[in-house]
Amino acid sequence: MTGFLLRRTVTAILVIGIVLTLAFFAVHLAPGDPTTRYLDARMSQAQQDQLRHALGLDRPLPEQYVRWLGSVVLRADLGFSFTHNRPVTRVLADHLAPTAVLAITALLIQFGVGILLGALAARRQGSLTDRVVRWLSLILYSTPHFWLGLMALLLLSYRAGWFPASGISSIEALDWGAWSSPRRLLDTAHHLVLPASVLGLAMAGGVTRFVRNSLLEVGHEDFIRSSRAAGVGEGRILWVLALKNALVPVIQIAGLSLPYLISGALVTEVVFSLPGMGRLAYSAILARDYPVILGATLLAATMVVCGNLLADLGHAAVDPRVRREIAHRG
């Protein structure tokens, strides 16, 4: 297991390094200049050159890359935001909590709804319920996040008025003395219903179809037939025996869902105006704020790599065959 962890750690560092290198040159070679955002027509050429020098943009691109990479690796310094006028680490820290809450809630909805619908479809294989669930999961899986978010805003916020259209809390909640903690918590949950549901349901379609097919495969195993012959009820066979074995591969799905979750969070936060990492990255791209773009890329790449590593460890913990394979490789 130690050798496995070392190999995966080295691979993870290489993957993150490659992603950051590609992102660095992509944002710097893209057309446009971030200083044009701050330039005034009355500024002299000397003042414009001084601004570019202060931002380090007048140096050759390879030198900028080496300086930035050395700062990140040696001092854990992601630089200074052009637009926020603050260190990038503080900017990222201020926007991380809303994204984390949104992502965790969406994951719970994704796997809760996906497992429930997948088990229901497998239990009623070939019936009208099975066909409806399969079509519904296909529609959810193929629907873009932004369209689902816009329809949710139109129907459930503007037309019905059931949920807030934007933000993660009410203006009144910003006054810490006005509302109690439970009331602020309920207010945040109310604001998260639409964005978390849009993000979670859009990804639940794939989980539904995967769980249904896994349950149907497990249903033909010998231990399931033996349990039926022994008189075990169908409910216990489905929800305890079959589902326990069918969910083992779902752990890998959780790890593979992270890239879609992060990209979906970016779109969802922009649509619902949530002050999270996705909206921060979107604003940074529009403003050509290189340090924030690269900092957000580093954070997203680290989350995806670590999530996949945790998924592999979780898979090994519940599946003896994976543990034996890891032990055999050393």
Side-chain angles (χ1 to χ4, degrees), residues 117-137:
L117 291 181
L120 181 64
R123 175 79 180 271
R124 302 180 183 279
Q125 182 187 11
S127 67
L128 177 61
T129 302
D130 182 24
R131 291 195 291 272
V132 170
V133 169
R134 280 188 291 158
W135 273 105
L136 179 63
S137 63

Side-chain angles (χ1 to χ4, degrees), residues 21 34 46 64 67 75 116 119 130 144 161 223 233 258 297-298 316 326:
T21 301
Q64 293 183 45
R67 283 174 174 270
R75 301 191 300 274
L116 185 64
D130 182 24
F223 72 96
L258 285 174
T297 303
L298 171 62
I326 292 175

Side-chain angles (χ1 to χ4, degrees), residues 51-176:
L51 177 60
R52 289 192 176 87
H53 178 73
L55 297 176
L57 299 174
D58 59 339
R59 299 186 178 94
L61 191 55
E63 181 183 345
Q64 293 183 45
Y65 173 71
V66 172
R67 283 174 174 270
W68 176 79
L69 190 62
S71 176
V72 172
V73 174
L74 300 178
R75 301 191 300 274
D77 182 5
L78 298 178
F80 206 80
S81 169
F82 298 162
T83 55
H84 296 268
N85 292 319
R86 300 171 61 202
V88 173
T89 49
R90 293 185 183 178
V91 176
L92 295 178
D94 289 343
H95 292 78
L96 185 59
T99 299
V101 173
L102 173 65
I104 293 172
T105 310
L107 268 181
L108 293 176
I109 294 174
Q110 175 192 359
F111 285 96
V113 173
I115 292 172
L116 185 64
L117 291 181
L120 181 64
R123 175 79 180 271
R124 302 180 183 279
Q125 182 187 11
S127 67
L128 177 61
T129 302
D130 182 24
R131 291 195 291 272
V132 170
V133 169
R134 280 188 291 158
W135 273 105
L136 179 63
S137 63
L138 183 61
I139 292 172
L140 289 174
Y141 191 64
S142 56
T143 302
H145 290 83
F146 74 91
W147 189 87
L148 198 60
L150 292 176
M151 290 301 102
L153 279 177
L154 176 65
L155 298 177
L156 302 179
S157 182
Y158 291 111
R159 294 281 177 83
W162 292 344
F163 301 101
S166 62
I168 198 169
S169 63
S170 302
I171 296 177
E172 295 82 358
L174 298 177
D175 184 0
W176 285 88

Side-chain angles (χ1 to χ4, degrees), residues 260-310:
Y260 299 100
L261 183 68
I262 292 174
S263 61
L266 188 151
V267 176
T268 305
E269 289 177 3
V270 172
V271 171
F272 289 94
S273 300
L274 296 179
M277 292 291 301
R279 193 179 175 199
L280 173 69
Y282 176 74
S283 302
I285 292 171
L286 294 181
R288 307 299 301 274
D289 193 343
Y290 296 155
V292 172
I293 296 173
L294 295 174
T297 303
L298 171 62
L299 191 59
T302 304
M303 290 170 61
V304 171
V305 170
C306 291
N308 278 280
L309 177 59
L310 290 176

Side-chain angles (χ1 to χ4, degrees), residues 185-243:
L185 186 62
L186 288 175
D187 180 67
T188 301
H190 189 210
H191 280 75
L192 278 176
V193 168
L194 278 189
S197 299
V198 165
L199 186 56
L201 289 177
M203 297 189 299
V207 177
T208 299
R209 300 179 75 84
F210 190 85
V211 170
R212 176 188 178 275
N213 294 336
S214 296
L215 280 173
L216 292 179
E217 289 180 6
V218 172
H220 297 292
E221 297 287 340
D222 291 339
F223 72 96
I224 295 294
R225 289 198 292 266
S226 300
S227 299
R228 285 199 177 98
V232 179
E234 286 296 324
R236 178 175 174 76
I237 289 176
L238 173 65
W239 296 106
V240 179
L241 300 178
L243 193 59

